[in-house]
Amino acid sequence: NAGVTQTPKFRILKIGQSMTLQCAQDMNHNYMYWYRQDPGMGLKLIYYSVGAGITDKGEVPNGYNVSRSTTEDFPLRLELAAPSQTSVYFCASMGDRATYEQYFGPGTRLTVT
Amino acid sequence: KQEVTQIPAALSVPEGENLVLNCSFTDSAIYNLQWFRQDPGKGLTSLLLIQSSQREQTSGRLNASLDKSSGRSTLYIAASQPGDSATYLCAVSERLNKLVFGSGTILRVKS
């Protein structure tokens, strides 16, 4: 299993541009999450999904959109990028609610200038 | 709103010392608590997960405790090594396992 994969690893955007951060998992997990981590801080939840076709907002959803058309993929869309969205973005998934263990991807480092 | 605080923010110790990292949270209605390790520029590695009904978990030189009623957890690292140098993050889970993270403790173990 590849686990949770994220692309791209790095990206520089200009203010006002848009992009999609890709996240995929091959563990057949129903639960998937997007977090952002600002320098020197912990992670904050942006959006989450409990299964294909179901998404909901987390703590910091403004400026982002998500979709979940398949169990495997959970892309995060940035519209009209702003400098405040400069951050490292992590995707995570969870399959077994008995253990509650989340598996994290390697992250995407995004800079908006 | 759940808030998670980690103390100290940074810690520097000589190799071989035993050390304790602290985590506190404001709402005791959690499902579990996890400790993660994060190396510079890397993702998160789960170290220990304590279910809300448990009091502690151990893995090798690591021991984590949980006191839900007082809103506290500690991560104990025995006989620290330079390879333990990293940022340690504490996170508590809410409904649907949404995680709320602390800001982390940056640990440096000097050889």
Side-chain angles (χ1 to χ4, degrees), chain A residues 31-92:
Chain A
Y31 296 80
M32 295 188 74
Y33 309 83
W34 273 106
Y35 297 89
R36 61 175 284 175
Q37 184 179 32
D38 297 329
M41 305 294 290
L43 285 70
K44 291 188 186 298
L45 182 64
I46 306 172
Y47 270 94
Y48 66 99
S49 168
V50 300
I54 307 170
T55 63
D56 206 348
K57 297 177 181 178
E59 185 184 357
V60 291
N62 291 346
Y64 307 95
N65 276 301
V66 293
S67 60
R68 185 97 183 270
S69 57
T70 67
T71 299
E72 294 77 21
D73 300 298
F74 190 38
L76 178 71
R77 177 86 177 157
L78 278 72
E79 304 282 2
L80 299 174
S84 61
Q85 294 177 304
T86 294
S87 191
V88 181
Y89 292 83
F90 290 101
C91 179

Side-chain angles (χ1 to χ4, degrees), chain A residues 16-30:
Chain A
Q17 287 185 322
S18 300
M19 76 164 294
T20 298
L21 282 65
Q22 301 292 344
C23 174
Q25 50 90 11
D26 61 359
M27 298 172 282
N28 202 33
H29 285 174
N30 283 323

Side-chain angles (χ1 to χ4, degrees), chain A residues 31 33 35 37 40-45 48 50 57 59 90 94 97-102 104-106 109, chain B residues 1 31-32 34 36 38 40-44 46 49 51 89 93 95-104:
Chain A
Y31 296 80
Y33 309 83
Y35 297 89
Q37 184 179 32
M41 305 294 290
L43 285 70
K44 291 188 186 298
L45 182 64
Y48 66 99
V50 300
K57 297 177 181 178
E59 185 184 357
F90 290 101
M94 181 186 77
R97 287 192 66 183
T99 64
Y100 289 100
E101 186 169 2
Q102 284 193 24
F104 281 79
R109 187 174 296 273
Chain B
K1 179 187 167 187
Y31 289 78
N32 61 66
Q34 278 187 264
F36 293 89
Q38 185 175 32
K42 303 290 187 186
L44 278 68
S46 180
L49 184 152
Q51 302 287 3
L89 294 164
S93 76
R95 192 179 68 88
L96 300 175
N97 207 37
K98 294 176 286 181
L99 295 180
V100 180
F101 284 82
S103 296

